[in-house]
Amino acid sequence: MIEVQLKKKLKDFTLDVNLSIKKGQFVSIFGKSGSGKTTILRSIAGLAKPDKGKIQVENDIWFDSKKDINLPPQKRNVSLVFQGTALFPNMSVLENITYGMKKKDETLLEEVISITNVRHLLTRKPFNLSGGEKQRVELARAVLKQPKVLLLDEPFSALDIHSKLEIYDELVELHNRFNLTTILISHDLFEVSKLAEKVFLIEKGKILKEGKPEDIFKDEKYKSALNFYKNLLGGLNDDKAQ
């Protein structure tokens, strides 16, 4: 179980949230840009310090303002994937994805390479990769670190729809195969409805609703947007079949 209780004064409002996430869940924090989503993720990772609160992952306390506990990022067992990739330009794909592995595990390495479809890229350098390929490499590296929490900060927002759909399937397979606890930050309605088991709807630093995607997105404004996506995908699939 992950318990996140935090308050932090931001420019236009105070972020004040309380989240409970079960081990092995795939959850999304969904809302408009500037609503406080990334600050939550950065606080969990140890890259931002809340003004008050507590972050506990299973039996480990990562942050507690009352007890003056604030573990540095390197002592929090998390992997964080951003929209912009952070691959080492002088390393091959294989060197990048194995960087940070706790121990050599060829079975784990083979499984992750297979699921993320990066085998044909292993000898390449990052500058030779497309955007979708770079994000596959980022995901592979993140999972190979065997984190307690996988944090995703809108990592697919710059990709085309075909690349997104392929990576969504790979991400779900990684999440299920390795029993990851995954937290996705996104303002993409279709992405969240396709990937998340549980959604936290945030606006101006407050959680307005939480629940299954079908319950959170049952309002007509969300249904219309989802139908647009479905129609778009239907057209793309028809074009692909021709």
Side-chain angles (χ1 to χ4, degrees):
M1 179 71 78
I2 301 172
E3 298 287 347
V4 178
Q5 302 148 26
L6 61 88
K7 288 186 179 181
K8 186 172 178 64
K9 183 73 172 72
L10 302 179
K11 183 180 178 181
D12 298 318
F13 54 82
T14 296
L15 180 66
D16 186 355
V17 296
N18 192 330
L19 313 175
S20 291
I21 300 165
K22 294 178 182 177
K23 183 179 180 180
Q25 266 192 324
F26 195 131
V27 306
S28 177
I29 303 172
F30 173 79
K32 296 177 182 178
S33 296
S35 58
K37 305 186 302 296
T38 294
T39 301
I40 296 172
L41 214 67
R42 289 175 59 83
S43 296
I44 295 171
L47 300 174
K49 184 180 179 182
D51 298 329
K52 295 180 181 179
K54 182 177 180 179
I55 299 171
Q56 182 166 343
V57 179
E58 298 174 15
N59 295 320
D60 299 325
I61 297 175
W62 290 1
F63 176 80
D64 191 325
S65 56
K66 290 183 179 179
K67 296 181 178 179
D68 197 25
I69 297 172
N70 185 25
L71 294 186
Q74 60 269 26
K75 290 192 175 182
R76 304 188 188 198
N77 189 5
V78 302
S79 287
L80 181 56
V81 181
F82 296 99
Q83 176 183 338
T85 58
L87 301 175
F88 298 110
N90 60 322
M91 291 185 180
S92 68
V93 166
L94 180 60
E95 290 169 331
N96 265 285
I97 66 174
T98 55
Y99 184 87
M101 284 184 73
K102 294 182 174 68
K103 61 180 180 179
K104 190 174 182 180
D105 187 333
E106 291 297 336
T107 301
L108 173 64
L109 179 60
E110 280 296 312
E111 281 193 82
V112 172
I113 287 172
S114 178
I115 293 172
T116 54
N117 294 300
V118 297
R119 190 176 304 281
H120 64 295
L121 306 174
L122 294 178
T123 60
R124 293 191 196 176
K125 296 288 180 67
F127 70 85
N128 280 324
L129 305 179
S130 68
E133 289 169 342
K134 287 178 181 177
Q135 290 301 63
R136 282 187 169 87
V137 174
E138 287 277 8
L139 272 179
R141 180 169 66 179
V143 173
L144 284 168
K145 288 175 67 177
Q146 297 178 271
K148 281 190 175 179
V149 189
L150 176 62
L151 303 172
L152 306 173
D153 189 1
E154 306 199 57
F156 315 124
S157 58
L159 303 183
D160 64 79
I161 188 64
H162 290 296
S163 297
K164 283 183 180 183
L165 291 173
E166 290 173 354
I167 293 181
Y168 290 165
D169 291 340
E170 293 163 12
L171 174 56
V172 169
E173 188 173 353
L174 288 168
H175 172 83
N176 292 332
R177 172 65 187 85
F178 299 109
N179 193 32
L180 299 172
T181 302
T182 305
I183 304 175
L184 169 71
I185 297 297
S186 181
H187 62 265
D188 186 317
L189 178 63
F190 176 73
E191 180 171 273
V192 171
S193 65
K194 184 172 177 62
L195 294 173
E197 303 169 47
K198 182 178 182 178
V199 180
F200 296 94
L201 178 62
I202 188 171
E203 185 175 313
K204 293 184 178 179
K206 308 289 186 188
I207 301 296
L208 301 184
K209 295 180 182 178
E210 62 179 86
K212 296 179 180 179
E214 57 266 32
D215 295 327
I216 298 298
F217 301 137
K218 63 185 178 182
D219 293 351
E220 192 57 42
K221 63 178 180 179
Y222 294 128
K223 284 184 178 180
S224 298
L226 282 172
N227 285 333
F228 170 79
Y229 275 113
K230 290 175 182 177
N231 291 334
L232 175 63
L233 290 174
L236 290 172
N237 288 332
D238 289 342
D239 291 342
K240 195 173 180 179
Q242 289 177 5

